[in-house]
Amino acid sequence: VTEEKGTRDRLETKLEQEELLLKELHHRVHNDLQVLSSHLNLRKQRVDGRAQAVLDDVQLQIRAIALVHETLERTGHASHVDLADYIDQLMTALAQAFGVRDRGIRFDVQVVPAVVRFDRALLVSRIMHEAVVNSIKHAFGDGPGGDIVVRLIRHEPDDLELRIADTGRGMPAAPAGETDGLDLMRHLAAQLGGTLDILSGPGTTVVVRLKMSD
């Protein structure tokens, strides 16, 4: 019994040390991403037009990734993220970045609690960013705006479905060279062991099916 207790104590101590290291890692990565974002701000002052738009997009992608590490810091968890919490934070950040209220765009977000490992949350964050930003930029044109609907649904204990839909004009045929965003989302979904489908008309819907665990 004494030997088993000693082994258990050593394992608990080792686990605590590893959690502290992970928390420190998330803190450092978060800070490094903030420094990188600030550097891009300086770069944007020296360029214009298309180059500035590209830097804006990169900066938003960095923000989406940084939010995962920020969520881990804020909640005190070293290795897992509640996607519901993260999605709320991301939608708030994108609403501020694009001034969606002034453009008549409304967010409708309903998500179930779903705790996943942080590396899987990073992949989901990139899919979310790509899909929502595409809708903000392209779905409504110069019209009066519309709705972007986000749903996170649990079908089975380990099966999730993420839907990002808009009430815009639907997805037009993409010119050659402009399917990179779709290819990226499908590649990220595959890394999650899931699938991604695009449904068009009316509006555009991105459907991602994934497992909570590996």
Side-chain angles (χ1 to χ4, degrees), residues 7-205:
T7 300
R8 185 171 62 249
D9 289 344
R10 286 192 295 273
L11 289 173
E12 288 176 352
T13 299
K14 184 177 180 180
L15 180 60
E16 289 174 0
Q17 292 172 341
E18 289 178 348
E19 287 182 346
L20 285 173
L21 287 173
L22 271 175
K23 288 177 182 178
E24 177 63 20
L25 173 64
H26 293 310
H27 177 71
R28 291 188 180 188
V29 171
H30 182 214
N31 285 347
D32 288 345
L33 290 172
Q34 286 182 314
V35 170
L36 180 57
S37 183
S38 298
H39 178 69
L40 288 176
N41 268 332
L42 296 175
R43 284 289 186 182
K44 285 193 297 184
Q45 297 174 15
R46 304 176 187 176
V47 297
D48 54 20
R50 175 62 179 164
Q52 193 170 74
V54 170
L55 291 179
D56 282 337
D57 186 59
V58 171
Q59 197 169 27
L60 283 171
Q61 291 183 43
I62 290 171
R63 176 58 176 156
I65 295 170
L67 269 175
V68 175
H69 297 279
E70 186 178 309
T71 301
L72 287 162
E73 283 190 82
R74 177 168 48 80
T75 60
H77 298 300
S79 59
H80 287 76
V81 175
D82 185 348
L83 286 180
D85 182 17
Y86 172 78
I87 289 172
D88 283 338
Q89 296 293 321
L90 177 62
M91 297 300 285
T92 298
L94 291 176
Q96 294 172 347
F98 287 97
V100 298
R101 182 176 297 179
D102 294 337
R103 296 174 55 187
I105 299 174
R106 296 169 296 276
F107 287 166
D108 178 1
V109 181
Q110 295 182 28
V111 292
V112 298
V115 178
V116 301
R117 228 175 46 213
F118 80 90
D119 55 329
R120 299 178 71 76
L122 286 171
L123 296 173
V124 174
S125 76
R126 297 182 66 191
I127 295 173
M128 280 285 304
H129 171 269
E130 192 71 31
V132 175
V133 169
N134 280 344
S135 288
I136 293 173
K137 286 184 175 181
H138 306 300
F140 309 109
D142 297 325
D147 297 327
I148 296 176
V149 179
V150 176
R151 297 287 185 268
L152 183 64
I153 306 161
R154 190 196 304 274
H155 292 295
E156 297 290 342
D158 199 43
D159 294 339
L160 294 177
E161 180 180 297
L162 174 64
R163 282 182 171 255
I164 303 103
D166 63 60
T167 59
R169 54 191 176 182
M171 180 176 291
E178 292 191 10
T179 61
D180 290 350
L182 296 179
D183 291 341
L184 172 63
M185 287 192 290
R186 288 197 174 98
H187 177 67
L188 294 170
Q191 288 188 56
L192 287 163
T195 60
L196 183 142
D197 296 305
I198 307 293
L199 312 177
S200 186
T204 299
T205 303

